[in-house]
Amino acid sequence: MEGDFTGKDVYGKHFSPKDYLKMYYSFSKEDGSQEDALLNFYLQKFHKTFTVDGVKGDTLIDIGSGPTIYQFLSSCGSFREIIATDYTDQNREEIKRWLKKDPDAFDWSQALKYVCELEGDREKWVEKGEKVRSTIRRVLKCDVTQVNPLAPLVVAQASCVTSALCLEAACKDLTAYHAALRNIGSLVKPGGHLVLLVALGGNFYMAGEQMFFCLYLEKETVDSAVTEAGFDILWSEEAKNSYSPTYSDCKNVYFLVAQKRIKV
């Protein structure tokens, strides 16, 4: 199934954060369920990157955060500040709701407990949540199609840029994808890190009843774009898509950590 490219205006009008979160990030009642498999994979790889491997620094910028905060649960202890970003107003508002402990905010407690379990103490999940809140200093608008995705703001290059399941939704073709990777790569200081979570082999994903475009990507395409953007890939890992094919037709998800080359 191939759909037409989903433009920015459609996201602004029709993307429902609550529908998206309910479909993809609600931990099931049973441990080890298929529904949890991918979120567990994401959390494990972020844990490896920031807690085990020790990627750290001053500032982390997350590009295309959507309405989610799971990508910050391991990095919050490794950076002085985190900048969350997204194109749509409603996604940024959803993050702010969680930051303010709004009763209507999405419940991330199970993800927090899982990450704390990976770190050795499941009972520290409340403390972990407070750490995430104190580390996310700004929630900004971003547009990966712009040479400076945070324009008109100009921020200092970051120690690390992360982006999860964003570029393949925001780019209509491979030319745009390569350009977007260069754009977000420009936000990383030399020697800093780029961490990507990518949907491979898909054409669409759903949020509630609304279908959204996904750029068909293969591992080799992603690797090539990352390398061309000035990065050396340190390690990567794939996992099979475990969601219902009615949610998304992507075949695999791909986690990648790369380091920006230092020009001599």
Side-chain angles (χ1 to χ4, degrees):
M1 184 188 303
E2 287 193 46
D4 294 331
F5 177 67
T6 308
K8 300 170 188 176
D9 56 333
V10 177
Y11 269 93
K13 293 176 183 175
H14 298 294
F15 188 87
S16 167
K18 293 194 183 310
D19 285 344
Y20 177 75
L21 291 168
K22 183 179 179 181
M23 288 179 75
Y24 299 101
Y25 298 104
S26 295
F27 264 84
S28 67
K29 297 291 187 287
E30 300 174 18
D31 288 342
S33 74
Q34 284 295 100
E35 288 79 8
D36 296 348
L38 277 188
L39 181 53
N40 288 346
F41 173 78
Y42 306 162
L43 297 175
Q44 289 163 12
K45 299 313 145 191
F46 281 118
H47 171 74
K48 170 175 165 50
T49 302
F50 298 111
T51 306
V52 178
D53 293 350
V55 170
K56 60 184 179 180
D58 195 38
T59 300
L60 180 147
I61 301 173
D62 185 56
I63 295 295
S65 305
T68 67
I69 57 95
Y70 68 89
Q71 62 271 42
F72 307 128
L73 304 189
S74 293
S75 58
C76 66
S78 301
F79 295 86
R80 181 180 62 83
E81 68 167 351
I82 289 173
I83 300 172
T85 74
D86 199 73
Y87 181 79
T88 67
D89 296 341
Q90 63 267 38
N91 281 339
R92 297 195 305 277
E93 287 304 314
E94 187 65 34
I95 291 175
K96 290 175 183 176
R97 266 193 284 275
W98 184 82
L99 292 174
K100 294 184 292 188
K101 300 184 181 179
D102 187 311
D104 290 332
F106 187 74
D107 180 8
W108 289 100
S109 59
Q110 292 303 314
L112 284 159
K113 289 174 183 176
Y114 184 81
V115 171
C116 287
E117 192 172 320
L118 291 175
E119 294 177 358
D121 190 348
R122 183 181 175 89
E123 299 309 310
K124 287 191 174 180
W125 68 274
V126 175
E127 182 182 323
K128 167 73 75 176
E130 293 308 308
K131 178 64 175 174
V132 177
R133 288 186 174 93
S134 67
T135 309
I136 298 176
R137 304 289 176 84
R138 290 184 279 178
V139 182
L140 304 177
K141 187 178 180 73
C142 77
D143 182 347
V144 300
T145 67
Q146 302 300 308
V147 173
N148 170 16
L150 302 180
L153 292 179
V154 177
V155 300
Q157 286 182 309
S159 304
C160 183
V161 165
T162 56
S163 187
L165 307 173
C166 167
L167 300 187
E168 55 271 39
C171 299
K172 64 180 179 179
D173 55 32
L174 293 180
T175 300
Y177 185 79
H178 278 255
L181 262 173
R182 289 194 298 272
N183 296 342
I184 71 169
S186 70
L187 300 174
V188 184
K189 64 174 66 171
H193 291 83
L194 175 68
V195 180
L196 296 178
L197 177 60
V198 185
L200 297 180
N203 297 291
F204 78 94
Y205 73 97
M206 304 294 293
E209 298 300 313
Q210 184 76 30
M211 178 182 288
F212 294 91
F213 171 88
C214 184
L215 178 64
Y216 187 96
L217 293 170
E218 296 177 345
K219 173 184 177 296
E220 294 75 18
T221 311
V222 177
D223 290 352
S224 173
V226 169
T227 302
E228 286 181 20
F231 291 83
D232 293 320
I233 297 169
L234 302 180
W235 63 272
S236 62
E237 188 173 338
E238 283 185 67
K240 188 174 178 58
N241 176 25
S242 60
Y243 291 118
S244 163
T246 61
Y247 282 22
S248 169
D249 66 343
C250 89
K251 296 179 178 64
N252 295 321
V253 290
Y254 184 46
F255 193 95
L256 175 153
V257 179
Q259 187 168 27
K260 192 168 188 176
R261 291 189 285 274
I262 300 173
K263 295 178 181 178
V264 180

